[in-house]
Amino acid sequence: MTMQQNKPSSARVSDETGGVAAENALATGVVKALVTDSIMLVGTEDIEQIEAIRAAGCLLSPAIGDTVALFIAGGNAHILSVLERSAEYPAQISVPGADDVEVTAANLKLHGKAQVVVQSPVIAISARRLNTIVETASQTAQKFILNAARMIESVSDKMTSAGTMTTTVQTRTTKVKGVDTHDAGSLIQKVEDVASHRSDVTLMTAKNDVRIEAERVSVS
C-alpha cells in the first residue's frame, strides 16, 4: 500500500486566505504540534500552519521545534526529512506506516556508548553461534527454560542461591578434584537399587547414635 493511499484527506495545504498553495513546491518549516505519529502541524514563512504527512523515507521522527523539509504536490504536504534537530526530545527512528521493519546487512553492528535497551513482549534470537562477553550478567525471570543438546559451562567461581532446586537427569557424573563439602540441616538419600561407597579412609562422626537397619549386615 502506497503513501498516497494511506494519507488522510484532511492533510491538505491551504494558505491564510483559504486558497490552495502552489503545487510541486519545496519549502522548509518548523514543527509546531504532533497530530499523530505521521501527521504534524508545520509552520512555514508563507503559510502560518499546515498539516503535513511524514514521508515513508523520513526515518527520523520529527519532534516539536524541528526544522523540516516539505514537498507540496496536489494540495498535500509531505515531510521529506528533518533538517535541524531539537535537542529537547530524544531522536526516534521508525518507518511511517510499516508494522514490520527488517534491517539486512552482511555485518551489522549496534553500538551504545552508555546503554542499549531492548524492550518487547517477545524477543527471539536465532543464530548458529552466539558469543556473549560481559563483565557482569544479571537475569531476572519468573520462569527460565533452557533446551540444549549439549551444554558446556566453564567458570572459575560459581554461587547459586535458590529457595527450591529440583534436578532430574538420566545419568549424572560429578568429578571433584579438591574437597567436596555438603552443609545441610538434614541429608536424606534414597536409592532404589544399589548404593556403593568407596574410599581409602571413611570416618563417620555422630553426636548421639549411629544406626544401621537392614535384614542382613555384612562387615569384612
Side-chain angles (χ1 to χ4, degrees), residues 63-87:
I64 298 176
D66 288 359
T67 301
V68 297
L70 297 173
F71 176 69
I72 303 172
N76 298 295
H78 287 81
I79 299 177
L80 300 181
S81 63
V82 177
L83 302 179
E84 294 182 3
R85 180 66 186 172
S86 175

Side-chain angles (χ1 to χ4, degrees), residues 13-111:
V13 181
S14 300
D15 57 19
E16 298 182 42
T17 61
V20 179
E23 297 184 356
N24 299 332
L26 292 175
T28 60
V30 178
V31 178
K32 301 297 183 180
L34 305 179
V35 180
T36 64
D37 293 338
S38 300
I39 300 177
M40 292 83 184
L41 298 181
V42 182
T44 66
E45 293 182 357
D46 299 331
I47 306 173
E48 182 179 356
Q49 188 167 275
I50 60 175
E51 276 191 355
I53 304 173
R54 181 181 166 198
C58 183
L59 302 183
L60 179 59
S61 180
I64 298 176
D66 288 359
T67 301
V68 297
L70 297 173
F71 176 69
I72 303 172
N76 298 295
H78 287 81
I79 299 177
L80 300 181
S81 63
V82 177
L83 302 179
E84 294 182 3
R85 180 66 186 172
S86 175
E88 183 179 357
Y89 303 98
Q92 296 181 352
I93 298 177
S94 62
V95 179
D99 293 332
D100 299 326
V101 179
E102 295 184 5
V103 179
T104 304
N107 296 285
L108 183 63
K109 295 182 180 180
L110 181 63
H111 293 278

Side-chain angles (χ1 to χ4, degrees), residues 177-206:
K177 295 183 178 180
V179 179
D180 190 7
T181 303
H182 296 268
D183 188 358
S186 298
L187 178 62
I188 300 174
Q189 291 180 329
K190 182 181 179 181
V191 182
E192 293 183 357
D193 294 330
V194 178
S196 177
H197 176 80
R198 295 181 183 180
S199 65
D200 291 339
V201 179
T202 300
L203 300 176
M204 297 179 62
T205 303

